[in-house]
Amino acid sequence: AEGKGAGGVGSGAALIEANMGRWNGDDFSLIARTGTGYEAVQATLDAYLDANAWAATPTMPPAELGAHGRLVHLVSSVAGTLRSAPAEVLEREPALPSLVRFEPVPSEAGEEIVETVDLNTRAGIGYLLHADAEVVAGDYRALRELQPTLFEVD
């Protein structure tokens, strides 16, 4: 392939770094697209499948972000049967203006939860997204402070 991003790759083997690592499977595209106007997975597909879209992909991130965001891994400090849905617990607290998506796992009363010891046992994800970086930072702190009570077990 010729042009930007090709890295001068000719024939033969080539190592392509996609920087997916442990994020693989998490949908961070909403935060990336809203903040920068594009995201890496779509840009990669465009590079191979849509020359016009690839040509329109910026070569550098924007000077200013369209929004600020965080993908928050939820942590459970308890194990047992959920007494109530984590979303119900969250609703009893002050609003978090940047929380656009809340995906606890497990999510319903009666389901089993394990104590978080690594990424494989995390208790879900929260997506924070807002035009103001300070709002995101404040909501991140608030969400972390709520975690010890977010998962009520019997």
Side-chain angles (χ1 to χ4, degrees):
E2 298 290 328
K4 69 179 178 184
V9 176
S11 62
L15 174 64
I16 299 173
E17 171 60 48
N19 196 21
M20 289 187 220
R22 291 295 294 163
W23 299 99
N24 199 9
D26 291 344
D27 181 13
F28 59 91
S29 62
L30 172 65
I31 293 171
R33 266 194 330 272
T34 306
T36 65
Y38 64 97
E39 51 93 13
V41 174
Q42 187 61 53
T44 302
L45 290 171
D46 291 344
Y48 289 98
L49 304 174
D50 187 339
N52 291 332
W54 173 239
T57 301
T59 58
M60 296 290 291
E64 294 199 21
L65 295 175
H68 302 270
R70 285 185 108 154
L71 183 69
V72 183
H73 295 280
L74 303 176
V75 175
S76 169
S77 57
V78 298
T81 304
L82 286 179
R83 186 177 321 128
S84 58
E88 293 172 3
V89 175
L90 191 63
E91 288 173 2
R92 296 191 293 248
E93 300 297 327
L96 302 174
S98 71
L99 184 63
V100 296
R101 193 182 301 169
F102 182 65
E103 298 176 353
V105 177
S107 62
E108 301 298 325
E111 294 181 318
E112 294 294 317
I113 189 164
V114 298
E115 185 175 356
T116 301
V117 295
D118 56 21
L119 280 174
N120 291 326
T121 56
R122 68 184 173 178
I125 303 173
Y127 294 80
L128 305 178
L129 188 62
H130 198 277
D132 186 340
E134 291 302 314
V135 172
V136 172
D139 287 354
Y140 175 79
R141 286 188 300 273
L143 191 54
R144 288 292 183 216
E145 289 172 11
L146 280 171
Q147 281 187 148
T149 59
L150 196 56
F151 302 99
E152 300 172 337
V153 296
D154 288 326

